[in-house]
Each structure stands twice: as structure tokens, then as C-alpha cells.
């Protein structure tokens, strides 16, 4: 079978199954069985499929994923994250748009603690939205900052998806985690600037109201008691990697221990919080591992059938410049994000993208950061952006996907601007990893 026939069968068949509504993991498994039967010799191929599937999830590099997830779950269910928001709230007083600014500031801090975009968005939606609605904020001033800041957890370390991307694409996981820190903080500053601009253009979007700033002593106490201790978690995850004292796996374990320690100190480490955290972590981790089983084997079949090599040769025949090729890859991620989840996008594109990264001489860490930003954008693109559904779930009854997507649009433009800056100035992402190496 020619390479384009194999590619049409595997990729086209997978997309067709997903369009029919088949769960992602089952769709991968079904098309893999067809693929190995055709390309790898019938039942012998099935045996090889099982062996490859086992190998794909027994990787030590995947250990940080459940550890980062349990960090976020514990922070949410023990109420430690809410303490951070309450402390920051005391600092802002009655400035116009206070709650929108608080969403970005608190959400960015929580992003450095949780590693999960879904957890970040759900936390911001449930804690910030009721008060913003009560105060008369317009819907786009409520949902836009929540959606945008929720997605920051995908790029700011610790990021579960960055660990998966690094593991699957054979990119230095520690370098990739650290590389997202500066772009993530720049993006947060862009969001604050955008909120300021929106308020200037439409003052009624965030009505002013009487809210006295807390006394200096109370602010200092809140920051010292509720915010400063979270630095232990940030140091355990980011600091240990920066100093070269721990691998990403070890830092994830220290981060989880730090959250457990803080929850115990605050008296919030209840059996109910532990149960809910473990249950949430188990559900998400199991889903990820099942998809990894199917999609890793999928990429192996693509390579075995010659489809991967054919697609790469086809792409390079166009003789595009490096920046045009990067733009094409980013556009593909965006388009796939309209219909697929982020893990599936990675599994589908990495077997084709990573050889092109080497061929065009892109720095793998820099490309990884750009890919994470593309995946972050895909979370907020209709019709199937995952964070859009999370937002609709926590929003008032009657809120539509269209309303949420429209609120997210200006923040999507901020992310696109950051991608452009990274393309022109790669050192924005590469400075910190280079500092560690030196």
C-alpha cells in the first residue's frame, strides 16, 4: 500500500471514528487493531500491539503526571488555593475591575501550584464568578479572564501536559518545564493590560463599588500567613529543578509532599479532601494512560507503514521557509484543537512534527513551548474546546458556547502575539533553560 493510502486509512479512519462520537481511547484502539492486522502480519501484529502498549505506559518519565495532578486536587479540595485568593483580595481595595485583576493574579499563582488547566479554570469559575455576577460585571469581563488565566497552567510549571509532551517527544522535561515560566508570566501581564484596556473602552463593564482596602497590618498578615507559605510548593517544584537538585519526577514528589505538609499545618488535611483528591487524580490519570496506550502504538504503526516518512517527504517538497513551516504546524494544532483533546493532538502530530523539527533545525525546547501555547489556545477554540465546556458548566444557566468563545477572543489574540514574539525572539523561552545548563 502506498504511503498516502496508509495515511488515509490510519488518520482518516481515526478522525472518522471520532466524528461518529466514539471515545478517543476506543477510537485509537480500534484503528490500531485494523492497522496492525493490515501492516504487521495479522495476529502476529496483534501480539506486537499488546507488547508495545505495555511498554508505552511503563515509563518512569510519566510519574510526574499523577503527582502534579494530586497537587492541584489537594490545593483545591483543602481550600489552600482559596486562602491565596482571599489574601490577594485584601490588597486590591476598591479599584475598578478589582475582581478581574484578582482572577489573573490569583489564577497565575495557582497555575504555579496545580499543573492542571481544568482544575485552574474550575477553581476560578466557582470562586470568582458568583461575586463578579453579583457586582454587575459584564459577561465578557467575567468569562474572558477566567478562561485565559485557567489555560496558563498548561505552560507555567508545573504543567502535566508539558511533562507528557517532553516524555513523548523526547524533549528534556526539566528544560521544557522551566522554559514555560517566562512566557507564562509575560502572558499574565498581557492579560492584565488587556483588562485595563477593556475597562478604559467600556467603564460599565466592571462597575466601581465601595470596597475599602484592608489595613496594612491585615494585608501583611494575610500575605505572610496565606500566600508566603505557598512559596514552599513553588520552590519544591520549580526551585529544585532550577538549582539542579532534583529531576522533574523528584520535584513533583517533593511538591506533592509540600502541599500535604501545608494542608496538615493549616488543619485542612481531612479524609474527605484526601478521598476527593485521590479520586480526581485517578480518573484523569487513567484517562491519560489509556489514550497514551492507543496513540503511542498509532504513531508506531504510522512509521512501520511508511506513512510518517511519506508525510514528512511530502511536507518538505513544498520547500517552505522555517518560519512558514512553523506557522503551518501551529495552524494544524489550532485546527485539530477545534475537534480533539490536547493529548490526542499531541499523539497524532508528534510523529510527524518532531522529525520536521530536527530537519529545520528548530530548538526542541523552544518548539515545545510554542506547541504548548497552541494546545492552550485549542482549549478555548469552538466548537469543542475543553475549557469552553468547563466554563459553561460553572456559568449561570443559559450561557452558551458562543458567548464564552466571544469572551475568550481578545485573550486568544494576546496568546497569538506571544507566539509571534517567541518566533522572533526565541531567547524568551530559552534563557532560563540556558541558565540552568551553564
Amino acid at each position: 500500500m502506498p504511503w498516502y493510502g496508509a495515511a488515509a486509512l490510519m488518520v482518516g479512519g481515526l478522525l472518522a471514528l471520532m466524528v461518529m462520537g466514539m471515545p478517543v481511547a476506543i477510537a485509537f484502539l480500534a484503528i490500531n487493531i485494523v492497522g496492525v492486522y493490515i501492516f504487521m502480519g495479522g495476529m502476529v501484529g496483534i501480539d506486537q500491539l499488546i507488547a508495545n502498549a505495555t511498554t508505552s505506559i511503563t515509563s518512569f518519565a510519566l510519574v510526574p503526571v499523577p503527582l502534579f495532578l494530586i497537587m492541584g486536587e489537594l490545593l483545591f479540595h483543602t481550600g489552600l488555593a482559596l486562602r491565596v485568593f482571599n489574601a490577594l483580595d485584601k490588597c486590591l481595595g476598591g479599584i475598578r475591575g478589582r475582581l478581574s485583576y484578582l482572577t489573573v493574579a490569583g489564577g497565575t499563582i495557582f497555575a504555579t501550584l496545580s499543573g492542571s488547566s481544568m482544575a485552574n479554570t474550575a477553581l476560578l469559575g466557582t470562586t470568582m464568578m458568583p461575586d463578579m455576577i453579583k457586582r454587575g460585571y459584564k459577561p465578557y469581563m467575567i468569562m474572558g479572564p477566567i478562561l485565559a488565566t485557567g489555560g496558563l497552567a498548561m505552560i507555567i510549571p508545573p504543567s502535566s501536559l508539558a511533562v507528557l509532551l517532553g516524555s513523548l517527544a523526547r524533549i528534556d522535561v526539566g528544560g521544557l518545564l522551566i522554559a514555560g515560566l517566562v512566557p507564562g508570566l509575560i502572558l499574565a501581564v498581557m492579560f492584565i493590560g488587556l483588562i485595563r484596556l477593556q475597562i478604559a473602552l467600556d467603564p460599565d463593564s466592571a462597575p466601581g463599588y465601595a470596597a475599602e482596602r484592608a489595613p496594612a497590618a491585615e494585608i501583611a498578615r494575610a500575605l505572610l500567613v496565606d500566600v508566603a507559605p505557598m512559596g514552599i510548593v513553588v520552590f519544591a517544584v520549580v526551585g529544585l529543578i532550577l538549582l539542579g537538585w532534583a529531576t522533574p519526577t523528584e520535584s513533583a514528589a517533593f511538591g506533592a509532599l509540600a502541599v500535604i505538609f501545608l494542608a496538615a499545618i493549616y488543619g485542612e488535611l481531612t479524609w474527605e479532601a484526601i478521598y476527593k483528591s485521590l479520586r480526581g487524580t485517578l480518573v484523569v490519570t487513567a484517562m491519560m494512560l489509556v489514550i497514551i496506550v492507543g496513540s503511542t502504538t498509532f504513531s508506531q504503526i504510522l512509521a512501520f507503514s511508511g506513512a510518517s516518512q511519506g508525510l514528512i517527504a511530502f511536507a518538505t517538497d513544498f520547500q517552505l521557509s522555517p518560519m512558514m513551516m512553523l506557522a503551518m504546524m501551529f495552524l494544524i494544532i489550532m485546527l485539530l484543537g477545534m475537534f480533539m483533546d490536547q493529548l490526542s493532538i499531541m499523539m497524532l502530530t508528534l510523529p510527524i512534527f518532531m522529525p520536521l523539527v530536527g530537519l529545520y533545525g528548530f530548538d526542541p525546547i523552544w518548539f515545545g513551548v510554542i506547541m504548548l501555547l497552541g494546545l492552550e489556545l485549542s482549549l478555548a477554540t469552538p466548537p469543542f474546546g475543553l475549557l469552553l465546556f468547563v466554563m459553561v458548566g460553572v456559568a449561570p444557566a443559559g450561557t452558551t458556547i458562543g458567548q464564552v468563545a466571544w469572551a475568550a477572543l481578545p485573550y486568544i489574540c494576546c496568546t497569538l502575539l506571544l507566539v509571534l514574539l517567541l518566533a522572533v525572539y526565541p531567547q524568551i523561552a530559552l534563557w532560563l533553560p540556558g541558565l540552568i545548563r551553564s
Side-chain angles (χ1 to χ4, degrees), residues 167-205:
S167 303
L168 297 168
R170 302 294 187 268
I171 300 172
D172 175 20
V173 173
L176 183 57
L177 282 170
I178 296 303
L181 183 59
V182 174
L185 294 177
I186 291 174
L187 197 55
V189 173
M190 285 183 175
F191 292 161
I192 290 174
L194 176 60
I195 291 170
R196 180 69 189 89
L197 177 62
Q198 288 178 317
I199 292 173
L201 295 174
D202 183 9
D204 292 335
S205 62

Side-chain angles (χ1 to χ4, degrees), residues 38-396:
I38 293 174
F39 300 115
M40 299 177 70
M43 292 307 298
V44 175
I46 301 293
D47 293 337
Q48 188 62 45
L49 172 71
I50 295 170
N52 292 347
T54 304
T55 305
S56 67
I57 57 171
T58 52
S59 170
F60 188 68
L62 294 175
V63 174
V65 175
L67 292 174
F68 285 149
L69 287 173
I70 200 168
M71 281 173 52
E73 292 283 343
L74 281 169
L75 284 163
F76 179 71
H77 291 296
T78 59
L80 294 184
L82 191 57
R83 285 174 172 268
V84 173
F85 280 93
N86 290 336
L88 293 176
D89 190 28
K90 294 178 181 179
C91 303
L92 296 177
I95 63 172
R96 188 178 291 273
R98 174 177 69 95
L99 296 178
S100 294
Y101 292 124
L102 178 61
T103 297
V104 176
T108 302
I109 292 175
F110 187 56
T112 65
L113 303 172
S114 71
S116 168
S117 292
M118 286 185 64
N120 208 18
T121 305
L123 173 74
L124 293 171
T126 54
T127 56
M128 302 303 300
M129 181 173 278
D131 198 20
M132 294 172 92
I133 294 172
K134 177 183 173 183
R135 300 292 182 184
Y137 282 62
K138 290 188 176 179
Y140 72 88
M141 286 298 292
I142 300 173
M143 296 184 290
I146 291 174
L147 262 174
T149 311
L152 282 179
M154 187 170 288
I155 185 170
I156 292 181
S159 165
S160 303
L161 206 68
V163 174
L164 285 170
L165 176 59
S167 303
L168 297 168
R170 302 294 187 268
I171 300 172
D172 175 20
V173 173
L176 183 57
L177 282 170
I178 296 303
L181 183 59
V182 174
L185 294 177
I186 291 174
L187 197 55
V189 173
M190 285 183 175
F191 292 161
I192 290 174
L194 176 60
I195 291 170
R196 180 69 189 89
L197 177 62
Q198 288 178 317
I199 292 173
L201 295 174
D202 183 9
D204 292 335
S205 62
Y209 57 92
E212 292 185 6
R213 186 173 179 176
E218 187 177 340
I219 291 174
R221 182 182 181 281
L223 292 176
L224 188 64
V225 173
D226 294 328
V227 179
M230 298 302 138
I232 298 173
V233 181
V234 177
F235 175 77
V237 176
V238 181
L240 293 179
I241 297 177
L242 277 172
L243 293 171
W245 293 353
T247 65
T249 302
E250 292 163 347
S251 68
F254 280 121
L257 284 174
V259 174
I260 292 170
F261 172 75
L262 288 176
I265 292 295
Y266 284 112
E268 303 287 354
L269 193 63
T270 63
W271 286 112
E272 182 182 6
I274 293 172
Y275 169 76
K276 288 181 178 178
S277 301
L278 289 174
R279 186 177 183 277
T281 302
L282 180 63
V283 169
V284 177
T285 303
M287 177 194 70
M288 285 185 173
L289 291 178
V290 171
I291 294 175
I292 288 172
V293 165
S295 52
T296 303
T297 312
F298 177 82
S299 64
Q300 292 169 348
I301 298 170
L302 276 182
F304 187 84
S305 67
S308 295
Q309 296 89 329
L311 286 167
I312 292 165
F314 177 72
T316 53
D317 280 345
F318 288 106
Q319 297 182 340
L320 297 176
S321 67
M323 286 300 103
M324 282 300 297
M325 179 56 70
L326 180 68
M328 288 293 294
M329 290 191 282
F330 192 82
L331 181 61
I332 288 169
I333 293 171
M334 291 287 295
L335 290 174
L336 289 177
M338 295 180 180
F339 307 100
M340 299 171 65
D341 67 276
Q342 284 58 49
L343 190 54
S344 302
I345 294 170
M346 284 199 306
M347 298 305 186
L348 193 60
T349 57
L350 285 176
I352 300 166
F353 283 1
M354 292 317 294
L356 290 172
V357 167
L359 189 65
Y360 278 86
F362 296 146
D363 186 289
I365 291 176
W366 170 76
F367 176 77
V369 172
I370 289 180
M371 187 164 183
L372 284 173
L373 285 168
L375 293 171
E376 178 195 326
L377 280 179
S378 70
L379 284 170
T381 51
F384 299 119
L386 190 59
L387 292 189
L388 298 179
F389 291 103
V390 175
M391 192 75 254
V392 170
V394 298

Side-chain angles (χ1 to χ4, degrees), residues 9-36 49 287 290-299 301 339-341 344 347-348:
L9 173 66
M10 297 297 295
V11 179
L14 178 64
L15 293 175
L17 292 175
M18 289 181 179
V19 169
M20 290 166 57
M22 185 176 289
V24 173
I26 304 301
F28 269 115
L29 180 60
I31 204 67
N32 285 346
I33 291 173
V34 174
V36 296
L49 172 71
M287 177 194 70
V290 171
I291 294 175
I292 288 172
V293 165
S295 52
T296 303
T297 312
F298 177 82
S299 64
I301 298 170
F339 307 100
M340 299 171 65
D341 67 276
S344 302
M347 298 305 186
L348 193 60

